[in-house]
Amino acid sequence: MINVTIEREQTYIKSFTLTGHAGSGPEGHDLVCAAVSAISFGSVNAVFTLCEIDLDIDQAGDEGGYLKVTIPESLDEQLLEKVSLLFEGMVVSLQTVEREYGQYISIFEN
């Protein structure tokens, strides 16, 4: 099971963490894992490219199954809104996967 935890400060996403493995198919053919990976890494890359900021990223080595992304504290309000909006799009996409494949992914918000 992939667990996604979204951390908020007021209305803004401040960090998100993905843990676990979907296990919806054999390694290399796991569609849920592929979807979650594409959505999350695509969102991180969008923030890098469109907002030109460095995110604090912690991820597991070769075994995978862990990704934590934290938005820097020092962002001004306008840039924080832009970054948060891009990550809100990620959450919507992950919720779509959760609706179809809820036995393999759960999303929590703090």
Side-chain angles (χ1 to χ4, degrees):
M1 164 84 64
I2 296 174
N3 292 303
V4 180
T5 303
I6 309 297
E7 299 282 339
R8 294 183 183 274
E9 186 173 295
Q10 298 169 2
T11 60
Y12 301 118
I13 293 175
K14 294 301 289 182
S15 71
F16 66 90
T17 306
L18 285 75
T19 59
H21 294 280
S24 69
E27 187 175 331
H29 300 280
D30 187 328
L31 295 178
V32 175
C33 179
V36 170
S37 295
I39 291 165
S40 59
F41 283 103
S43 297
V44 168
N45 289 336
V47 168
F48 280 144
T49 301
L50 300 173
C51 300
E52 299 178 341
I53 65 166
D54 288 325
L55 298 167
D56 181 17
I57 299 174
D58 185 17
Q59 67 184 64
D62 293 336
E63 69 278 359
Y66 181 80
L67 173 67
K68 180 169 185 168
V69 177
T70 304
I71 298 169
E73 293 285 330
S74 60
L75 299 184
D76 65 47
E77 186 86 10
Q78 186 177 12
L79 192 52
L80 180 58
E81 286 177 9
K82 190 175 181 181
V83 171
S84 190
L85 182 61
L86 288 166
F87 284 139
E88 290 292 352
M90 175 193 74
V91 171
V92 169
S93 294
L94 290 172
Q95 288 169 336
T96 302
V97 175
E98 183 184 37
R99 272 194 300 277
E100 293 296 319
Y101 300 98
Q103 68 270 37
Y104 303 110
I105 177 174
S106 291
I107 301 172
F108 308 94
E109 296 208 23
N110 291 340

